[in-house]
Amino acid sequence: MNGPSEELRAEVERRIDSLERELAEADQRLPDISEWVREIEEDVVRLLARVLAECRRDVESDGPQASGGEALGRDGALDRYAAVQAWAALASYVVARVYAPRSPWHHGLATAAKAAVAVLGSITTVLAGPLGPVTAALGAQSFTVGTQFPSAPLTVSLTFAG
């Protein structure tokens, strides 16, 4: 498991920038942009779905280690944890750019986020899979993967005994 590729990160950045420009232009020209907002929302969901698909492919590339079928050493566990955090950060970046309270985007998007939240839920499920072996290898008590839309899109943490 390696985390998102530089190509995917660049694609996400380009697409979000493009959507932001499109929405700003539409906001200036149209008095009611509710239909445009729905189209932008669909584009954002497609982008998050792309992140989900690539994340799933990356997790599955670990084979037996992805499901805990093989023991994971400390270095491997740290690498995998970093990859999980990188996937969470990429999905969070998309959500924060579009939906977070300080986002420059049109406020109508925040009410149309149901589909995006569903994709985030799927990403949390995929990311939870590799964390079991990471937790065991690092001696943590438990892990959590969660979402608090839109303020903390995806969070990943390990809990250690105090």
Side-chain angles (χ1 to χ4, degrees):
M1 188 170 171
N2 299 310
S5 68
E6 288 304 316
E7 293 82 14
L8 179 60
R9 290 173 195 260
E11 177 185 334
V12 164
E13 181 72 25
R14 280 191 308 274
R15 190 63 194 135
I16 291 293
D17 286 347
S18 173
L19 290 171
E20 195 170 68
R21 282 190 303 278
E22 290 173 30
L23 190 57
E25 290 170 9
D27 202 16
Q28 292 171 2
R29 286 182 279 158
L30 305 172
D32 177 19
I33 64 165
S34 59
E35 182 60 34
W36 189 257
V37 166
R38 279 190 288 281
E39 290 175 18
I40 296 292
E41 167 70 7
E42 290 171 6
D43 284 345
V44 170
V45 169
R46 278 193 292 274
L47 185 57
L48 283 171
R50 170 82 196 283
V51 170
L52 170 61
E54 293 295 325
C55 177
R56 184 174 284 130
R57 196 172 357 266
D58 190 29
V59 168
E60 290 170 355
S61 73
D62 271 354
Q65 285 188 347
S67 61
E70 292 180 16
L72 190 62
R74 180 172 174 74
D75 288 345
L78 291 172
D79 289 345
R80 185 172 299 165
Y81 187 61
V84 166
Q85 289 285 4
W87 281 112
L90 183 61
S92 293
Y93 173 78
V94 171
V95 171
R97 284 281 304 267
V98 178
Y99 302 106
R102 293 183 184 212
S103 171
W105 286 51
H106 191 274
H107 296 289
L109 275 173
T111 62
K114 185 176 180 181
V117 171
V119 178
L120 281 177
S122 296
I123 294 171
T124 63
T125 300
V126 170
L127 292 178
L131 287 174
V134 168
T135 300
L138 297 178
Q141 289 181 315
S142 63
F143 68 87
T144 58
V145 182
T147 181
Q148 292 180 332
F149 186 88
S151 59
L154 281 179
T155 57
V156 179
S157 62
L158 298 176
T159 303
F160 293 88

